[in-house]
Structure formats: structure tokens, C-alpha cells
Amino acid sequence: TGIYNLYITSTSPIAILGKKPNFVTSPLVIIYPTSSPASNSTSASSSSQSTSNSGGSNNTTNTTISNNQITEVVNKLINFIKSKQDTTGKILDGGTSDWVAMTFAANNIYPQDIKNGDKSLYDYIYNYSTSDLDSELNNCAAYPRHLLALLSAGVPTTDSKIVELKNKIDTACVKNNKFGQDGINDDVFGLLALLALGENVNSSSTQIITNTILSDQKPDGSFTWNGYSGADITGAVINALKYGKNKGLDIDDKIFEGAKKYLKNQQLADGGWGFGSSDALTTSWAVMGINALSES
């Protein structure tokens, strides 16, 4: 009928497109659920607009953002995240708890120190069963995510939890010269996790993942969500490949030049990135890629 009813249970971004044999596939639409009513600027209609951009308008005013301003915003974000922690140490769910553990670590805060009562964020992410990851929609993205969270919390690479996750990656994800599902989302995090563990850059798993990522780049320099170009996935790939190059992976600088050109061409007039209009999530991933290129 052309109608699909979706029951949204989290604030994680949802990528939607329609496909049917002998019909033209619809454009990709990214929905960013919120816990409060969306404003007109983030309505579903604006989300489905073309991703064409202004090409960097000169009408915007250059302003200098001070370190104090950045610190103030970061502290607000940290306090907001803390406010969502329950008495088990969890913050919303397992996946979110993993991501925010990395967030705290990036701000030089150990997850052991994030507590609501007696239980810390560390207690939750360390003790929840890795078998819970098996049932996630993409467990080959979930295993690396959880592994990176544990490493950022200070868990040693020799710990049984880390070893178990590494075994899951090796046995469940690397098959038939491919890593995980179609598309490169899980490959990006698989590469980051393996390199963070000290995996040899010439190992079979690392080479399979790297070659899959590199083969995804489009002529305009972008990388894709299973065929659909995006500034967020392009920024994430830059991050992973730069990390790999620093570890000894052979990555041609032309790969980075192409990706950088794509990000520049996709930047919107307000300085951000997004699908139709700028949003914080897409912009954050793009900026992380720019940071990895050592550019301001």
C-alpha cells in the first residue's frame, strides 16, 4: 500500500527507504527521533529534502569559538548524560552505555567514576552479558562497539571479556572474504576495534575490512551507507583509515583528499552537515573526520 507503520522505541537515528521489485527505490530518509516534539525545521518533510548544499555561502559571519565556550557545552552534555543513569549504572540501554563510556573517556573521566548510588557505568558495561550483543540487529557492529567501550574504560586487552569479543569478531563476522553485513558501517568499527587491540595490519581480517572500506568510495570522494553517500559515514571512515595509517596500513593520501573534498562540497550554509538541513549528529561525525585530517 506504500504505508509502513513504525513504532519508534529509542532516539537512535533510523535510515528508511522503500524497495519493491520492478519499482524505483525511494530516496534514503534519515529520521532522528527526539524525546520532545520536533520543531518545523526538523520535520519529516524537511528530512526528505534533497541533500544538495549551498557550497559554502559567503553570507555567514566568521566567528571565533573560544575554548571556554566549548568546555561549557561539553559540561552541559556530560551532565545531561549523567542525569539519565539509573541505579544499575546503565544509561538508557547497553548500546548507549557503550557509547557514553567512550564519551566520558574522551573527556578524561573514567566510567568507574560515573555512579548513581553504588553502581557505576563501568559496573554495567563490564558485567552485562556479551550474549546480549548476539541479538542486536548488527552484532558485527555491536561486538566492536562494546570492545571499544571496555578498552576506553581501562579494561586490559588480556581480559577474558575482551578475548571473548575478539573471538566473536573472528568467528561470527569474518566470513567469505567479507566482514559482517552488507555496507561498511560495521567494517569501520571492526577496523577501529582490531587496531585498538594491536591486530597486525597485515592480518587477514584487517586486510579484508580495509579493502571493503576502500572499495566503497565513490568518484565524488564519499563513502556510503550501503550505497547512499553521507557526510557522517565519510567522516567515520576518515577517522578509521587515518588511525589505520598511523598503525601502518598502506592508505593512499588520495583517499583522504577525495573524502575531504566531498565533505567540503556537502557543507551547508550554517557550517554544519545533514540530510536537507544541518543536525548535530551528522555534523559531529563529519567534524571527527576533519579532526583526524588535522584540520580545524
Side-chain angles (χ1 to χ4, degrees):
T1 63
I3 297 174
Y4 179 74
N5 294 316
L6 175 66
Y7 181 61
I8 299 175
T9 59
S10 78
T11 55
S12 300
I14 301 168
I16 296 178
L17 57 86
K19 298 176 73 173
K20 184 176 180 179
N22 302 318
F23 283 76
V24 176
T25 299
S26 77
L28 181 72
V29 175
I30 308 294
I31 293 177
Y32 297 94
T34 64
S35 57
S36 59
S39 66
N40 290 336
S41 63
T42 56
S43 66
S45 60
S46 67
S47 297
S48 61
Q49 292 172 1
S50 167
T51 59
S52 62
N53 63 85
S54 67
S57 169
N58 289 326
N59 294 328
T60 56
T61 302
N62 289 328
T63 57
T64 300
I65 308 298
S66 71
N67 287 332
N68 287 339
Q69 287 174 287
I70 294 171
T71 300
E72 182 181 354
V73 173
V74 169
N75 288 337
K76 286 181 179 179
L77 292 167
I78 292 294
N79 290 331
F80 171 77
I81 294 169
K82 286 180 179 178
S83 74
K84 300 300 179 181
Q85 187 177 32
D86 66 23
T87 55
T88 69
K90 176 179 66 178
I91 297 179
L92 298 184
D93 54 34
T96 304
S97 295
D98 281 343
W99 284 117
V100 297
M102 290 182 254
T103 297
F104 286 119
N107 203 44
N108 298 314
I109 304 171
Y110 273 104
Q112 290 91 326
D113 298 326
I114 304 301
K115 292 184 177 181
N116 182 356
D118 295 332
K119 297 295 184 180
S120 70
L121 177 60
Y122 177 89
D123 293 328
Y124 178 77
I125 65 170
Y126 185 81
N127 290 312
Y128 83 74
S129 174
T130 56
S131 63
D132 292 345
L133 303 171
D134 298 338
S135 59
E136 292 202 24
L137 289 176
N138 188 343
N139 50 24
C140 290
Y143 300 145
R145 181 201 72 221
H146 191 51
L147 195 155
L148 288 167
L150 293 176
L151 290 176
S152 71
V155 178
T157 57
T158 54
D159 187 274
S160 60
K161 297 275 187 179
I162 299 288
V163 173
E164 181 184 4
L165 287 166
K166 175 63 163 59
N167 289 337
K168 284 179 177 287
I169 290 173
D170 288 338
T171 58
C173 298
V174 183
K175 294 181 178 180
N176 302 320
N177 209 37
K178 177 184 173 184
F179 184 88
Q181 297 181 5
D182 291 339
I184 62 169
N185 182 51
D186 47 11
D187 296 75
V188 168
F189 297 106
L191 181 61
L192 286 169
L194 291 177
L195 293 174
L197 284 175
E199 179 94 352
N200 190 304
V201 295
N202 294 315
S203 73
S204 175
S205 296
T206 304
Q207 289 297 310
I208 286 172
I209 293 172
T210 303
N211 290 335
T212 300
I213 293 173
L214 292 176
S215 67
D216 181 81
Q217 190 172 34
K218 300 302 179 187
D220 64 358
S222 67
F223 290 86
T224 77
W225 291 99
N226 203 9
Y228 293 89
S229 296
D232 42 8
I233 188 65
T234 299
V237 168
I238 293 172
N239 220 322
L241 293 182
K242 269 292 183 180
Y243 185 49
K245 185 160 187 172
N246 291 339
K247 292 279 189 175
L249 273 178
D250 184 15
I251 307 293
D252 193 324
D253 284 337
K254 291 180 180 178
I255 302 295
F256 301 115
E257 288 299 320
K260 182 174 74 171
K261 182 178 179 181
Y262 170 78
L263 289 181
K264 184 175 182 179
N265 289 337
Q266 291 296 310
Q267 189 175 24
L268 300 175
D270 63 1
W273 285 263
F275 296 86
S277 60
S278 296
D279 63 83
L281 183 66
T282 307
T283 300
S284 294
W285 283 110
V287 169
M288 283 191 277
I290 292 169
N291 287 342
L293 294 170
S294 299
E295 298 205 5
S296 68

